[in-house]
Amino acid sequence: MTVITEADLIESVADALQFISYYHPMDYIRALGVAYEAEQSPAAKDAIAQILTNSRMCAEGHRPICQDTGIVTIFVKWGQDCRLDSTRSLQEVVDEGVRKAYLNPENKLRASILADPAFTRRNTKDNTPSVMHVDMVPGNTVSIDVAAKGGGSENKSKFKMMNPSDSIVDWVLEMIPQMGAGWCPPGMLGIGIGGTAEKSMILAKQSLMGSIDMAQLKARGPKNDIEALRIEIYDKVNALGIGAQGLGGLSTILDVKIFDWPTHAASKPVAMIPNCAATRHAHFVLDGSGPVYLEAPKLEEWPDVNWMPDKAAISVDLDTLTPEVVQTWKHGDRLLLNGKMLTGRDAAHKRIKDMLDAGEPLPVDFRGRVIYYVGPVDPVGEEVVGPAGPTTATRMDKFTRMMLDQGLLAMVGKAERGGDATKAIAEAKSAYLMAVGGAAYLVARAIKGSKVVGFADLGMEAIYEFEVSDFPVTVAVDSAGENVHQLAPLVWREKIAREGLLTPA
């Protein structure tokens, strides 16, 4: 009988979660490096360069790849000849490891988990509880996969209870454009087929724990129907031309993983879950001999990519910005923002609405200002702010007209805007600017000052005022309502088809 001590399990989980917060899986970095070399879209290539540069910076500085340090998912295969030496449940012990990782003072991770999700949505302050799946298997070891999944990609999960004759490929190709860019491509698609509704979702999530091997698979050819399906979906999704961050290009996904399970004769449940540019997962095995510490990758394994601001980018002074200047920007323009910029995301926007409805004065004057949709990680050491990449802008769509009515000139976030928000932006002759998701530490280096100016009780969702220097963004929706997330993929889809371009495997 192998004895797994409480302390060993806690320490191993905590180490793994810290590890994946600042180290990408190297299979992802290698695949992204290949995609960077092959990419022909300047905007997508620039975005991938930011992600790769950010990744290396995080590996060097041991700081989070993304400000959204995720909801923790744990897959446990517990050997039946193992015993947990603890008076606490397995969930409680694992959650103690999560707590230790997220409260580590040397690299404190953002607490994003809310209790009472339907009503008060209270932050648990330590990112617990985790979501855990346990299988009892033969053997005398405990095998654990840990993952930290960001909300932007998790929110794009799809499910359908198909008829047995329905096409999985057709459904995937229908869903991918609907997912937009909020899941921060390029990444992986995890697909679960069969079982029941909940089983297919678990299969999809579990499939994402695997290594990227599409290049090897295409080189040797498929050996079964599942592998052939992986290749077909991979090729057809990339042919859509959505590209990195939805900016149009060759690489929308780097791999497709598929797990299946027997299902009822009347059913074909299919689930699809994307992994974002902040892909975070790791594996370790406990054998009773002590805690497991993961081995750090070598920095020389990263591609030699060092992003620098585009010399052709337009420098913008936020402190003197006028509507007339905003109206000169065109979709696709690259800007470098300088000066003072406000922040605010879901909870802040909801509170602003409640205060306006009640006739109460707001703590901040938004006239002539730009707002950044972000929930930063707490700073450590001499940092002004921790990693502070953009959150998905579409969640703020329903508040867009309200904020523009307060005199807001522009907004900064990630991914696309919906039709109503785009219309409001055009009518107000404002603009929506897109920062790269998956480059949070790199972006934070452009933030030179930070202070809370409203709703301090909301923690990371408070309103901050950032002082920024050469903060890189792309004009995603201009004052005429021209939307790069709608236009660029169409251009690249046609280009891929016309020129017979092959997405790199």
Side-chain angles (χ1 to χ4, degrees):
M1 177 69 70
T2 300
V3 176
I4 306 297
T5 69
E6 178 181 284
D8 288 351
L9 180 53
I10 290 170
E11 180 67 14
S12 301
V13 168
D15 174 75
L17 288 171
Q18 275 285 312
F19 184 94
I20 64 175
S21 78
Y22 45 74
Y23 288 133
H24 268 115
M26 290 312 300
D27 57 283
Y28 177 83
I29 292 301
R30 286 189 290 270
L32 193 60
V34 172
Y36 173 79
E37 292 299 329
E39 187 57 68
Q40 297 182 25
S41 162
K45 198 174 186 76
D46 182 83
I48 296 173
Q50 289 193 44
I51 295 167
L52 285 170
T53 302
N54 179 77
S55 178
R56 185 186 177 99
M57 289 171 58
C58 294
E60 291 174 332
H62 285 195
R63 292 295 276 141
I65 296 164
C66 180
Q67 78 288 340
D68 183 348
T69 50
I71 183 168
V72 176
T73 302
I74 309 280
F75 289 98
V76 181
K77 291 186 177 178
W78 194 278
Q80 290 163 187
D81 292 331
C82 297
R83 180 177 67 84
L84 177 62
D85 185 14
S86 176
T87 59
R88 294 190 280 182
S89 70
L90 180 59
Q91 179 79 51
E92 290 173 321
V93 174
V94 166
D95 284 347
E96 189 60 40
V98 175
R99 185 174 294 111
K100 182 175 181 178
Y102 277 73
L103 298 181
N104 186 324
E106 295 181 4
N107 182 39
K108 190 174 181 182
L109 307 179
R110 197 182 83 182
S112 302
I113 304 308
L114 308 181
D116 193 24
F119 301 103
T120 58
R121 296 179 65 83
R122 302 184 308 276
N123 197 303
T124 63
K125 306 294 187 183
D126 57 11
N127 225 58
T128 67
S130 61
V131 177
M132 187 167 63
H133 306 279
V134 182
D135 284 331
M136 298 297 291
V137 298
N140 59 359
T141 61
V142 174
S143 176
I144 298 180
D145 287 309
V146 297
K149 191 73 156 49
S153 61
E154 186 71 2
N155 289 352
K156 300 301 183 179
S157 302
K158 301 294 181 182
F159 170 81
K160 185 174 183 180
M161 188 61 79
M162 290 187 174
N163 293 318
S165 61
D166 290 345
S167 167
I168 293 170
V169 174
D170 288 349
W171 177 73
V172 170
L173 294 177
E174 179 186 356
M175 291 298 104
I176 292 292
Q178 294 181 24
M179 286 161 55
W183 59 280
C184 289
M188 298 167 64
L189 290 181
I191 296 176
I193 305 171
T196 52
E198 81 282 4
K199 180 65 175 179
S200 67
M201 281 300 224
I202 294 171
L203 290 169
K205 180 65 68 66
Q206 195 167 17
S207 75
L208 291 171
M209 301 302 105
S211 297
I212 294 174
D213 64 353
M214 182 55 70
Q216 296 90 326
L217 173 57
K218 294 190 78 170
R220 67 165 169 81
K223 294 181 178 178
N224 53 52
D225 290 341
I226 288 290
E227 291 187 345
L229 181 60
R230 287 177 58 195
I231 292 172
E232 182 180 3
I233 291 173
Y234 173 84
D235 287 339
K236 289 183 175 179
V237 167
N238 281 327
L240 295 174
I242 293 168
Q245 304 291 305
L247 293 170
L250 303 182
S251 290
T252 302
I253 56 173
L254 303 177
D255 204 345
V256 179
K257 297 295 186 183
I258 301 176
F259 281 0
D260 67 350
W261 194 267
T263 193
H264 191 281
S267 306
K268 189 161 74 173
V270 181
M272 179 168 64
I273 304 177
N275 241 2
C276 63
T279 291
R280 290 168 297 211
H281 58 85
H283 174 77
F284 62 89
V285 177
L286 292 167
D287 60 8
S289 63
V292 176
Y293 298 100
L294 299 175
E295 183 178 351
K298 296 178 175 61
L299 291 175
E300 54 266 28
E301 295 184 40
W302 266 259
D304 186 18
V305 177
N306 297 285
W307 179 88
M308 296 294 289
D310 186 348
K311 293 180 180 179
I314 302 167
S315 182
V316 175
D317 185 348
L318 296 174
D319 299 332
T320 61
L321 187 61
T322 64
E324 291 73 24
V325 171
V326 172
Q327 290 164 34
T328 66
W329 301 339
K330 301 301 179 186
H331 70 282
D333 284 352
R334 295 180 194 172
L335 311 180
L336 295 173
L337 306 182
N338 296 273
K340 292 183 173 62
M341 177 168 62
L342 296 172
T343 79
R345 44 175 285 164
D346 308 67
H349 280 75
K350 175 62 167 61
R351 188 171 292 183
I352 288 168
K353 182 182 186 304
D354 291 344
M355 293 179 73
L356 290 172
D357 289 346
E360 299 173 1
L362 300 179
V364 178
D365 185 354
F366 291 97
R367 287 176 297 179
R369 304 300 298 270
V370 172
I371 194 168
Y372 180 31
Y373 303 144
V374 64
V377 174
D378 290 343
V380 298
E382 297 180 358
E383 289 180 344
V384 169
V385 66
T391 198
T392 306
T394 46
R395 297 203 313 275
M396 267 54 73
D397 278 4
K398 65 181 179 181
F399 302 111
T400 297
R401 195 174 295 275
M402 172 192 78
M403 295 302 294
L404 292 172
D405 287 345
Q406 306 311 305
L408 202 65
L409 289 181
M411 299 145 282
V412 181
K414 75 171 184 181
E416 70 287 342
R417 303 308 297 264
D420 290 344
T422 299
K423 182 179 179 182
I425 290 166
E427 290 176 354
K429 302 229 174 276
S430 60
Y432 166 59
L433 315 175
M434 194 205 78
V436 171
Y441 196 37
L442 173 66
V443 166
R445 294 293 180 92
I447 302 170
K448 307 302 181 183
S450 172
K451 64 179 180 180
V452 175
V453 294
F455 308 152
D457 62 298
L458 295 181
M460 64 94 175
E461 294 211 57
I463 298 176
Y464 292 78
E465 185 176 71
F466 286 167
E467 179 85 26
V468 299
S469 176
D470 286 346
F471 186 100
V473 295
T474 298
V475 179
V477 180
D478 62 25
S479 60
E482 294 292 294
N483 190 332
V484 74
H485 285 106
Q486 293 177 353
L487 299 173
L490 294 177
V491 171
W492 280 92
R493 184 183 308 176
E494 181 183 343
K495 185 178 178 68
I496 290 166
R498 183 178 66 249
E499 300 181 16
L501 300 175
L502 296 177
T503 306

